[in-house]
Amino acid sequence: MTSITLESLTKSYGKAGPTVVDGIDLEVEDGEFVVLLGPSGCGKTTTLRMIAGLEKATTGLIKFGDRIMNEVSGDRRNVGMVFQNYALYPHMSVADNLSFGLRSRGSTKEEASARVDEVLELLELSALKRRKPKELSGGQRQRVALGRALVGRPSVFLMDEPLSNLDANLREHMRIEIGKLHNTLGITTIYVTHDQGEAMTLADRIVVMNNGKIRQVAKPRDIYNSPADSFVAKFIGSPGMNLIDAELRKVDNFFRFGSGISIPSSSVRFLDHYVNERVTLGIRPELLTVIGSEGAVRFSGKISLVEQMGSQLQTYVRLDGSDHHQNFIAKLPPDTPVNIGDQITLYASTSDLRFFEVEGGPLISSAAGEKDSPSEYLVG
Amino acid sequence: MALKFSNQPTLANEIEPGMELEAARKLSRQRDFYFRVKEKLIGYGLILPAGAVFLVFFYIPAAYLLVISFFHWGILSPTTNFVGLKNFRTLFHQPLFWRSLLNSAYYTLVMIPATTLLALAIAMLLRDGMTSRRGGIWRAAVFLPHVTPVVATSIIWVWVFNPHFGFANYILNLLHLPALGWLESTTWALPAVMIDSLWHSLGLYVIIFLAGLSRVPRELLEVATLDGAKKYRIFRRIIWPLISPTTFFVVILSTVNTWQAFSQIYTMTGGAHGGAGGPAFSTTTDAVLIYQTAFTYLHFSLAAAMSFVLFFIILTLTMVQKWISDRIVFYR
């Protein structure tokens, strides 16, 4: 096992080609489980492939421990990698898939067989060792892929969206399996996904990426509570944080946000610097209620759509006086009596509000007055 | 051939609420029958043009060929007599027929592995540049000979193999090797034809192999690399098994093409002057002998019997290859 350090890592394709990874810095501790999370095309898979040695970095450094790995070929980095589509050798049995790497590295048949049996037992695949991949279910194939990555005792475990080909139930099951496996083996793991559920449940830390850059590195809870910028705020959560761009004015003891939202100025004094400027207000849909306490911020509007989700009602509201056409979403209890076309007032505590500079800008500060963001890495 | 129509009406709409159950079932069966007939008619209608061409230019002549092989029939003869298996007996007693079979077997046994291995090697070299502009130029360069007319290029090869001022002997001279008689030598005439055939046909097989190689998932090669496998092991254990259906197809195709090779042999060995297959029958293959028997000696029924034997040989070889392939080819 080893720590991994990325320093100003960049990947560009050709002189005029796109820069898909743009000078990222990251430190992954020994035994840590780090998830690279971001939308498609954000550079997370390319980053993983550079760590694996399957892509050459254009500039920057990749270190395993203190050793610079840029010029070390993939087969000498001692990494185990799991691919999105399993990448099992279709013409080989499960046992042969696992032993191929060991035999390639010079293990004897007996050594390879013993090690393969050990890993198959760990993954409860012993009964399937003679089967070909096409005779396995999706979950079993994924376990074989995990086994193949583990069998060589890698010091780094890399996973590229390993669960994306599985159905929802199996994905959840395999997610738990991967979590358990990491707890058992403690191998330094970098896991790429665009599924925030996987990221939140598996990661020690999440790295949110967009357009080839790291937007935030933090623990799952901190990413959710204190997003570094409005991109992270919108990307994390399902649905993401409600974001409203409007001009901030001060009227008496209130900040007036746009034409309809008033916030007591005593609780958000840090906004004084932004009076008469446009800022982005954010509030998570699950923190909105239909019953408000004194001092709560009100959001009034007309209901445009109600989605029954079983455990909640996802309610889409067009805010009054809103100068934009964006829907404001609230997750309400499932028995809330709301209908399309109803006028509704939603309430949020000022401590749950987040403010960002406009156009994807960074977090101004939380309404709770936490001046220091818990995030280790903020862009901009 | 079954076609599915997304706008096919549902029968449930036509079954009225008051209708007896049996009547409804009958109506449903009738409608099913009509739809099946309609689908079949459309299917057969679509393959009819190609089928007609195949029937007129392939199946009918082939059947006619089999029929006339049992007759004594010449193009100038006013009568046609049924002779049973006499043509086949005559054939098997002719030393030249056996010589032609040996020549064809020699030609095929050299050409199949040479074509397959060389085409695969070139395809492997071109594989990495599949998407680049330079790769496209190389692919075109390799494929170009295949689209040139065989007769025209074979005439050029006759010049290349000219023993006195040909390019082939010039190269041998540069390598300090003795000059060869090439097309004038009973030993080297068929190898010279093979070189021409190889040059002409290779492009097609390279393209087929490139298509097969492009279907090997990149991730498998990457996993194998991370697994520590060296290039030869990756080829032997991953690529080779995964392209085995392509290899099998190339082997079948080259078997058929080499057993039937005619134009290049005819052109290069003096067919224009009536002496194809020389010198001393060293390049007389089955196809050449069939042509000469039919169109030089005008013995059509004997040529038909030869063609039938050739067909049987190719069929047998193909069946054997299929039998082998069922045991070693991996189909995903």
Side-chain angles (χ1 to χ4, degrees), chain A residues 31-147:
Chain A
E32 197 178 14
F33 197 121
V34 165
V35 173
L36 303 185
L37 177 69
S40 298
C42 71
K44 54 192 189 299
T45 293
T46 308
T47 304
L48 195 78
R49 289 172 61 81
M50 284 193 281
I51 296 169
L54 296 172
E55 299 266 359
K56 216 169 164 59
T58 308
T59 57
L61 288 180
I62 300 165
K63 289 184 192 168
F64 285 8
D66 293 329
R67 189 179 173 202
I68 295 170
M69 304 302 280
N70 291 51
E71 298 305 321
V72 178
S73 62
D75 60 310
R76 292 177 186 277
R77 293 189 187 190
N78 195 20
V79 297
M81 186 157 174
V82 179
F83 288 78
Q84 183 175 353
N85 57 1
Y86 321 125
L88 299 176
Y89 308 124
H91 55 296
M92 293 186 195
S93 67
V94 168
D96 288 344
N97 261 282
L98 265 65
S99 64
F100 180 79
L102 296 172
R103 299 279 287 140
S104 299
R105 291 178 196 281
S107 295
T108 64
K109 213 168 184 175
E110 291 71 31
E111 285 168 353
S113 175
R115 177 65 186 147
V116 166
D117 286 345
E118 201 179 305
V119 171
L120 288 176
E121 201 166 315
L122 175 75
L123 295 167
E124 296 170 13
L125 286 168
S126 300
L128 308 174
K129 67 187 283 189
R130 297 281 155 236
R131 288 204 195 166
K132 295 260 173 75
K134 68 177 174 190
E135 296 161 341
L136 302 174
S137 69
Q140 288 166 339
R141 286 181 202 182
Q142 192 52 268
R143 292 222 300 276
V144 176
L146 284 171

Side-chain angles (χ1 to χ4, degrees), chain A residues 32 34 45 99 136 147 150 193 199 214 239 272 277 282-283 338 359 374:
Chain A
E32 197 178 14
V34 165
T45 293
S99 64
L136 302 174
L150 284 173
T193 184
I214 291 179
D272 278 339
E277 284 182 29
I283 175 75
V338 289
E359 292 169 1

Side-chain angles (χ1 to χ4, degrees), chain A residues 49 52 54 74-76 79 81 83 85 87-92 97 100-101 103-105 132 134 148, chain B residues 217-230 233-234 236-239 241-242 330-332:
Chain A
R49 289 172 61 81
L54 296 172
D75 60 310
R76 292 177 186 277
V79 297
M81 186 157 174
F83 288 78
N85 57 1
L88 299 176
Y89 308 124
H91 55 296
M92 293 186 195
N97 261 282
F100 180 79
R103 299 279 287 140
S104 299
R105 291 178 196 281
K132 295 260 173 75
K134 68 177 174 190
R148 186 179 53 189
Chain B
R218 188 184 66 168
E219 290 87 356
L220 293 189
L221 307 179
E222 289 177 344
V223 167
T225 308
L226 292 180
D227 272 346
K230 302 295 173 218
R233 187 168 162 80
I234 291 174
R236 177 72 192 82
R237 296 293 313 275
I238 311 294
I239 297 174
L242 292 180
F330 172 75
Y331 290 100
R332 266 179 283 176

